[in-house]
Amino acid sequence: MSKTIFFITNSLSGGGAERVMSNLANYLTQRGYCIKFLLLNGNEQVYPLDNSIEIIIRKNDKEKDIKGQIKFIRKYMKNNKNALFVSFFTHQNLYTILASFALKVKVLVSERNHPLASCNGKISSRIRNYLYSCRYCKKIIFQTKGAADYFSDKIKNKSDVIPNPLKDGLPDRYNGNRKNTVVSFGRFETQKNYELLVNAFADFSKKHSDYTLELYGKGSHEERLKALSTQLGISDKVLFKGFCPDVHSKIIDAKMFVIPSNFEGLSNSMLEALAIGVPVISTDHPPGGAKAYITSYENGILTPVKDKEAMTKAMCFMAENPEKANKMGEKASILKETLSSENICEKWRNIFDELLEVKK
């Protein structure tokens, strides 16, 4: 029986899904699996991989060469009929399922974002729903029950819900006096709506002028956010820190972490901030990842999506009630064990073994 798994992705850049893939790959390699990556568009690799993991890069001139990507995947399917092929991104999911047509290979896909946002238009959604429900797609993994509930019973009946594993080596919760900083980390893109956070911080700063906002990450909205900070007269208080591999050690003693997203699959940054005990404010974004882990005013605070006033109010509460804020952080930090890499990777491994018919 085969214990070979191909992970299919555009590249291994610094996103959350790529981190989960890399984490899983290393975990499985250490347990005797043969792991290979098919990179469809680029050779970028941010997260470390075990030296035994083979990375196969598609040589291409056109990033959106859909036919070329399907042919590339299908070539490896034909030569590895006993392997399991795993994809984490919606478009690559569809290419992988299409590549498997009329071949006796096993395909598992994972929907990592809000289902209403991962496809553009009704036609694309119908194609996705058809391919997810077809017999060539053996299993679908969702991050939250809310995401699974967007789909038909036929799709849900062959699905499982597995949250993201936490990054290994997260620091322990900080117990000292916290700095007057509001922090966040992620991609500066439309989905993340950092404009909301900057606007809310400007209002918060009128009452709490001794606070700074520290933003870790990068993205296409960075210059826009800097311009907005200048326009609001808070450019000296909004600090852009860039991408930081050890971001958790930088934010461990912050007064609060804020995630302003319009939607998420399941936010790694939110889970990590909860796990290290930083008091967390999050929008109650669809399809329900935040409310699956945060009970408002018990282990964090939820605010409506795009609601600047509610976010400002929540930030003021955290600043003005440090004991209650710290209690929220303390309760949230139990996630560090619940969502440990070991626990979550074992859930994946059990599903992989079932599909590969690995005997225990």
Coordinates of all heavy atoms in Angstrom, one line a residue, residues 7 13 15-16 30 54 62 81 103 122 147 149 161 173 188 196 206 213 216 222 246 257 293 303 308 333:
F7 N 1.0 17.3 -2.4 CA 0.3 18.5 -2.0 C 0.5 19.4 -3.3 O 1.5 19.6 -3.8 CB 1.0 19.2 -0.8 CG 0.7 18.5 0.5 CD1 1.6 17.6 1.1 CD2 -0.6 18.7 1.1 CE1 1.3 17.0 2.3 CE2 -0.9 18.1 2.3 CZ 0.0 17.2 2.9
S13 N 4.4 30.3 -0.6 CA 4.6 31.7 -0.1 C 4.1 31.8 1.4 O 3.7 30.8 2.0 CB 3.9 32.7 -0.9 OG 2.5 32.4 -1.0
G15 N 1.6 32.5 3.2 CA 0.2 32.5 3.7 C -0.1 31.5 4.7 O 0.7 30.5 4.9
G16 N -1.3 31.6 5.3 CA -1.7 30.6 6.3 C -1.9 29.2 5.8 O -1.5 28.2 6.5
Q30 N 8.0 12.7 9.0 CA 8.6 12.2 10.2 C 8.0 10.8 10.6 O 8.5 10.1 11.5 CB 8.5 13.2 11.4 CG 9.4 14.4 11.2 CD 9.0 15.6 12.1 OE1 8.2 15.4 13.0 NE2 9.5 16.7 11.8
E54 N 10.2 16.2 -1.7 CA 10.5 16.6 -3.0 C 9.6 17.8 -3.5 O 8.4 17.7 -3.3 CB 10.3 15.4 -4.0 CG 10.8 15.7 -5.4 CD 10.6 14.6 -6.4 OE1 10.2 13.5 -5.9 OE2 10.9 14.7 -7.6
K62 N 3.0 31.4 -18.4 CA 1.7 32.0 -18.2 C 1.1 31.5 -16.8 O 0.9 30.4 -16.7 CB 0.7 31.7 -19.3 CG 1.1 32.2 -20.6 CD 0.1 31.8 -21.7 CE 0.6 32.2 -23.1 NZ -0.4 31.7 -24.1
K81 N -0.6 6.3 -9.4 CA -2.0 6.0 -9.2 C -2.4 5.6 -7.8 O -3.6 5.6 -7.5 CB -2.4 4.9 -10.3 CG -2.4 5.4 -11.7 CD -2.9 4.4 -12.7 CE -2.8 5.0 -14.1 NZ -3.2 4.0 -15.1
L103 N -9.3 8.7 -14.1 CA -8.2 8.0 -13.5 C -8.6 7.5 -12.1 O -9.4 8.1 -11.4 CB -7.0 9.0 -13.3 CG -6.4 9.6 -14.6 CD1 -5.3 10.6 -14.2 CD2 -5.9 8.5 -15.5
K122 N -21.9 33.2 -10.2 CA -22.7 32.0 -10.1 C -22.2 30.8 -10.9 O -22.3 29.7 -10.5 CB -24.2 32.3 -10.5 CG -24.9 33.2 -9.6 CD -26.3 33.5 -10.0 CE -27.1 34.4 -9.0 NZ -28.5 34.6 -9.4
A147 N -18.6 27.1 7.3 CA -18.2 27.0 5.9 C -18.9 25.8 5.2 O -19.4 25.9 4.1 CB -16.7 27.0 5.7
D149 N -21.7 24.5 5.9 CA -23.1 24.7 5.8 C -23.5 25.5 4.6 O -24.7 25.5 4.2 CB -23.6 25.4 7.1 CG -23.7 24.5 8.3 OD1 -23.7 23.2 8.1 OD2 -23.8 25.0 9.4
V161 N -14.6 18.6 9.3 CA -14.2 19.9 9.8 C -12.9 19.8 10.6 O -12.9 19.1 11.6 CB -15.3 20.7 10.6 CG1 -14.8 22.0 11.2 CG2 -16.5 20.9 9.7
R173 N 2.0 32.7 27.6 CA 1.3 33.9 27.9 C 2.1 34.9 28.8 O 2.7 34.4 29.8 CB -0.1 33.6 28.6 CG -1.0 34.8 28.7 CD -2.4 34.4 29.2 NE -2.3 34.1 30.6 CZ -2.5 35.0 31.6 NH1 -2.8 36.3 31.2 NH2 -2.4 34.7 32.8
F188 N -2.1 43.0 4.0 CA -2.8 44.3 3.8 C -3.5 44.2 2.4 O -3.1 44.8 1.4 CB -1.8 45.4 3.8 CG -0.9 45.5 5.1 CD1 0.4 45.9 5.0 CD2 -1.4 45.1 6.3 CE1 1.2 46.0 6.1 CE2 -0.7 45.2 7.4 CZ 0.7 45.6 7.4
L196 N -10.4 49.8 8.2 CA -11.3 49.8 9.4 C -10.6 50.0 10.7 O -10.9 50.8 11.5 CB -12.2 48.6 9.4 CG -13.1 48.4 10.7 CD1 -14.2 49.5 10.7 CD2 -13.7 47.0 10.7
K206 N -8.1 59.5 20.2 CA -8.6 60.8 20.8 C -8.8 60.7 22.3 O -8.6 61.6 23.0 CB -9.9 61.1 20.1 CG -9.8 61.5 18.6 CD -11.2 61.7 18.0 CE -11.0 61.9 16.5 NZ -12.4 62.0 15.8
L213 N -0.3 52.0 17.3 CA -0.8 50.8 16.5 C 0.3 50.2 15.8 O 0.9 50.9 15.0 CB -2.0 51.3 15.6 CG -2.5 50.3 14.6 CD1 -3.1 49.1 15.3 CD2 -3.5 51.0 13.6
Y216 N 2.0 44.4 11.5 CA 3.0 43.5 11.0 C 2.4 42.8 9.7 O 1.3 42.3 9.7 CB 3.4 42.5 12.0 CG 4.1 43.0 13.2 CD1 3.3 43.5 14.3 CD2 5.5 43.0 13.3 CE1 4.0 44.0 15.4 CE2 6.1 43.5 14.4 CZ 5.4 44.0 15.5 OH 6.0 44.5 16.6
E222 N -0.6 48.7 1.6 CA 0.2 49.3 2.6 C 0.4 50.8 2.4 O 0.2 51.6 3.3 CB 1.6 48.7 2.5 CG 2.6 49.3 3.6 CD 3.8 48.5 3.8 OE1 3.9 47.3 3.3 OE2 4.8 49.1 4.4
D246 N 9.2 36.2 13.7 CA 9.0 36.0 15.1 C 8.0 37.0 15.7 O 8.2 37.5 16.8 CB 10.3 36.0 15.9 CG 11.0 37.4 15.7 OD1 10.7 38.1 14.8 OD2 11.8 37.7 16.6
F257 N -4.9 42.7 20.6 CA -4.7 42.3 19.2 C -6.1 42.5 18.5 O -7.1 42.1 19.1 CB -4.3 40.9 19.1 CG -4.3 40.3 17.7 CD1 -3.2 40.3 16.9 CD2 -5.5 39.7 17.2 CE1 -3.2 39.8 15.6 CE2 -5.5 39.2 15.9 CZ -4.4 39.2 15.1
Y293 N -14.6 30.4 18.1 CA -13.6 30.3 19.2 C -13.6 31.5 20.2 O -13.0 31.4 21.2 CB -12.2 30.3 18.5 CG -11.9 29.0 17.8 CD1 -12.2 28.9 16.4 CD2 -11.5 27.9 18.4 CE1 -12.1 27.7 15.7 CE2 -11.3 26.7 17.8 CZ -11.6 26.6 16.4 OH -11.5 25.4 15.7
T303 N -17.0 42.1 17.2 CA -17.7 43.3 16.8 C -18.2 43.0 15.4 O -17.7 42.2 14.6 CB -16.7 44.5 16.7 OG1 -15.7 44.2 15.7 CG2 -16.1 44.7 18.1
K308 N -17.1 50.6 12.6 CA -16.0 51.3 13.2 C -16.3 51.7 14.7 O -15.5 51.6 15.5 CB -15.7 52.6 12.4 CG -14.6 53.4 12.9 CD -14.4 54.7 12.2 CE -15.5 55.7 12.5 NZ -15.2 57.1 12.1
S333 N -6.1 31.4 26.2 CA -4.8 30.8 26.0 C -4.9 29.2 26.1 O -4.0 28.5 25.7 CB -3.8 31.3 27.0 OG -4.1 31.0 28.3

